[in-house]
Amino acid sequence: TVGGVADLKAGKVCFVGDPTTRIREDFLRILRLFRFHAWYGKGELDKAALHAAAAEKTGIRQLSGERIAKEMLKLLAAEEPVPVLRSMAASSILSEILSGELNVARLERLVAIDASNFFTPNPVLRLAALLPQRAAAANEIADRWKLSNADRDRLTDLCGATEKVVSYLSIKEVRKLLYKIGAARFKDRVFLKWAEDPKETNYVQWRALLAMADAWQRPRFPLDGGNVMAAGVPQGPLIGKILAEVEEWWIDSDFIDDEFSLAERLKAVVQAAI
């Protein structure tokens, strides 16, 4: 009776009845307008709905962080969220939710990478692409949106990342990074750096880095405290320091498994430490 089926077929997302009235009943409907359009809409946003949403945008401040996060993460998980985010920015609605300089171009490139490689969109990774490369910015959003500990840790880790990740990393450098930060964190960094790479022909190298991470098996450091004590070091904090130094050498040597070389290195480090 209200033309909902016809609107659905046409990809038109709009409010039932007066948009302002509907929005004032629950200001979350502003965000739902954009989320639904990102998922199901076609063409331009409904003008009356967009005008009402823009006029009532300050009502978003009354919403809980959890409700905002739920809608925004669903929006970011859409196949193509960027046009909707641009509409939100143009109507000053996005600045009610995300403050500061946003990297829409990097997000747009990440979305294109997902689409062309049939990757499953990840909303937290996409949020990291949108935010400035600062852990403080990620923490601010995590606080405001009341993100889960896992999502907060991932977001702040990515936004504060300082490791050198480029498409031409050597296999040795890849293995070193994988050992230090793990496959999941490495892959997150690859996606963000790939999204910053203007050279589209590098996609083969970026894909190769992801494949290396998927195939990687963490090597086991062959020494422990017992080996250090057997080399003449008494029990105490020095053992940990010596192990850390030898492990760093072992990593730099591309996880050498030659027992003689390891024993010689341990001996040298022990002699220098005592």
Short mmCIF file of all heavy atoms in Angstrom, two decimals, residues 164-171 173 202 205-206 209:
data_model
loop_
_atom_site.label_atom_id
_atom_site.label_comp_id
_atom_site.label_asym_id
_atom_site.label_seq_id
_atom_site.Cartn_x
_atom_site.Cartn_y
_atom_site.Cartn_z
N LYS A 164 58.21 -1.55 7.56
CA LYS A 164 58.35 -1.29 6.12
C LYS A 164 57.74 -2.46 5.35
O LYS A 164 58.28 -3.57 5.37
CB LYS A 164 59.83 -1.12 5.75
CG LYS A 164 60.06 -0.81 4.28
CD LYS A 164 61.54 -0.92 3.92
CE LYS A 164 61.73 -0.75 2.41
NZ LYS A 164 63.11 -1.05 1.99
N VAL A 165 56.60 -2.21 4.71
CA VAL A 165 55.95 -3.24 3.89
C VAL A 165 55.78 -2.67 2.49
O VAL A 165 55.03 -1.71 2.29
CB VAL A 165 54.59 -3.67 4.49
CG1 VAL A 165 53.90 -4.67 3.57
CG2 VAL A 165 54.77 -4.26 5.88
N VAL A 166 56.51 -3.25 1.54
CA VAL A 166 56.45 -2.81 0.14
C VAL A 166 56.25 -4.05 -0.75
O VAL A 166 56.49 -5.17 -0.32
CB VAL A 166 57.74 -2.05 -0.28
CG1 VAL A 166 57.81 -0.70 0.38
CG2 VAL A 166 58.98 -2.88 0.06
N SER A 167 55.85 -3.82 -1.99
CA SER A 167 55.54 -4.95 -2.87
C SER A 167 56.77 -5.78 -3.20
O SER A 167 56.66 -6.97 -3.50
CB SER A 167 54.90 -4.44 -4.16
OG SER A 167 55.81 -3.62 -4.87
N TYR A 168 57.95 -5.15 -3.14
CA TYR A 168 59.19 -5.84 -3.54
C TYR A 168 59.98 -6.40 -2.35
O TYR A 168 61.19 -6.61 -2.45
CB TYR A 168 60.07 -4.91 -4.38
CG TYR A 168 60.30 -3.55 -3.76
CD1 TYR A 168 61.31 -3.33 -2.82
CD2 TYR A 168 59.48 -2.48 -4.10
CE1 TYR A 168 61.52 -2.09 -2.26
CE2 TYR A 168 59.67 -1.22 -3.53
CZ TYR A 168 60.69 -1.03 -2.62
OH TYR A 168 60.88 0.20 -2.04
N LEU A 169 59.33 -6.65 -1.23
CA LEU A 169 60.02 -7.27 -0.08
C LEU A 169 60.66 -8.59 -0.50
O LEU A 169 60.06 -9.38 -1.23
CB LEU A 169 59.01 -7.57 1.05
CG LEU A 169 58.62 -6.46 2.01
CD1 LEU A 169 57.60 -7.00 3.01
CD2 LEU A 169 59.81 -5.88 2.76
N SER A 170 61.87 -8.82 -0.02
CA SER A 170 62.52 -10.11 -0.30
C SER A 170 61.87 -11.21 0.55
O SER A 170 61.23 -10.92 1.57
CB SER A 170 64.01 -10.03 0.03
OG SER A 170 64.19 -9.93 1.45
N ILE A 171 62.08 -12.45 0.15
CA ILE A 171 61.53 -13.58 0.90
C ILE A 171 62.08 -13.57 2.33
O ILE A 171 61.35 -13.83 3.29
CB ILE A 171 61.84 -14.91 0.19
CG1 ILE A 171 61.06 -14.99 -1.13
CG2 ILE A 171 61.49 -16.10 1.07
CD1 ILE A 171 61.40 -16.17 -2.00
N GLU A 173 63.03 -10.94 4.08
CA GLU A 173 62.37 -9.86 4.83
C GLU A 173 60.94 -10.25 5.20
O GLU A 173 60.46 -9.92 6.30
CB GLU A 173 62.36 -8.57 3.99
CG GLU A 173 63.71 -7.91 3.86
CD GLU A 173 63.70 -6.75 2.85
OE1 GLU A 173 63.14 -6.92 1.74
OE2 GLU A 173 64.24 -5.69 3.17
N ASN A 202 51.61 -3.90 -9.89
CA ASN A 202 52.27 -4.58 -8.76
C ASN A 202 51.36 -5.61 -8.08
O ASN A 202 51.77 -6.24 -7.11
CB ASN A 202 52.73 -3.56 -7.71
CG ASN A 202 53.99 -2.82 -8.14
OD1 ASN A 202 54.69 -3.28 -9.03
ND2 ASN A 202 54.25 -1.69 -7.52
N GLN A 205 52.76 -9.03 -7.22
CA GLN A 205 53.69 -9.08 -6.08
C GLN A 205 52.92 -9.02 -4.75
O GLN A 205 53.26 -9.73 -3.80
CB GLN A 205 54.69 -7.92 -6.17
CG GLN A 205 55.68 -8.08 -7.30
CD GLN A 205 56.40 -6.78 -7.60
OE1 GLN A 205 55.87 -5.90 -8.28
NE2 GLN A 205 57.61 -6.64 -7.07
N TRP A 206 51.89 -8.17 -4.69
CA TRP A 206 51.10 -8.08 -3.46
C TRP A 206 50.38 -9.40 -3.19
O TRP A 206 50.34 -9.88 -2.05
CB TRP A 206 50.08 -6.94 -3.56
CG TRP A 206 50.69 -5.56 -3.53
CD1 TRP A 206 50.69 -4.63 -4.53
CD2 TRP A 206 51.39 -4.95 -2.43
NE1 TRP A 206 51.34 -3.49 -4.13
CE2 TRP A 206 51.78 -3.66 -2.84
CE3 TRP A 206 51.72 -5.37 -1.13
CZ2 TRP A 206 52.48 -2.78 -2.01
CZ3 TRP A 206 52.42 -4.50 -0.30
CH2 TRP A 206 52.80 -3.23 -0.75
N LEU A 209 52.79 -11.87 -1.70
CA LEU A 209 53.05 -11.65 -0.27
C LEU A 209 51.95 -12.29 0.59
O LEU A 209 52.23 -12.91 1.62
CB LEU A 209 53.13 -10.15 0.05
CG LEU A 209 54.33 -9.38 -0.53
CD1 LEU A 209 54.28 -7.92 -0.10
CD2 LEU A 209 55.65 -10.00 -0.12
#
